[in-house]
Amino acid sequence: MCIAGDIGHGVNIEAGAILCNHYNEREDDTVYVHIDGQRVSTGMHKLGALVGDGCRIGANAVLSPGTLLKPRTIVRRLQLIEQDPL
């Protein structure tokens, strides 16, 4: 199963921002999310970002697979959001 992701209402994504949905560099490419401090397997190998209402994502920012952005989150230009680093 593959989910591209979901983008909320009133979101601004600047030019060059990348919302990834797959880990090419990992042997185990399962996408995990972090909810209330717990690492949770999605059981999927492709899952894009879930972006809450009113978020602002700066130019050339990168959101790793399975990124969860709470409403009104600001991601700076060139920032990497890696919510499940190895």
Side-chain angles (χ1 to χ4, degrees):
M1 176 183 240
C2 171
I3 297 178
D6 193 18
I7 298 176
H9 177 75
V11 171
N12 184 62
I13 301 175
E14 292 183 355
I18 299 170
L19 286 67
C20 302
N21 71 347
H22 184 262
Y23 285 111
N24 289 322
E25 72 279 10
R26 296 185 181 184
E27 185 145 337
D28 175 12
D29 61 357
T30 302
V31 177
Y32 292 84
V33 295
H34 290 258
I35 301 173
D36 296 329
Q38 298 292 317
R39 186 177 192 236
V40 179
S41 174
T42 64
M44 293 186 275
H45 300 283
K46 289 192 175 189
L47 175 64
L50 303 174
V51 180
D53 292 343
C55 288
R56 296 186 293 177
I57 301 170
N60 298 309
V62 177
L63 306 184
S64 65
T67 294
L68 305 177
L69 291 183
K70 294 180 180 180
R72 293 171 299 287
T73 297
I74 296 173
V75 178
R76 294 180 176 196
R77 291 180 178 106
L78 299 171
Q79 186 174 359
L80 167 64
I81 303 296
E82 180 71 68
Q83 293 185 332
D84 189 41
L86 285 179

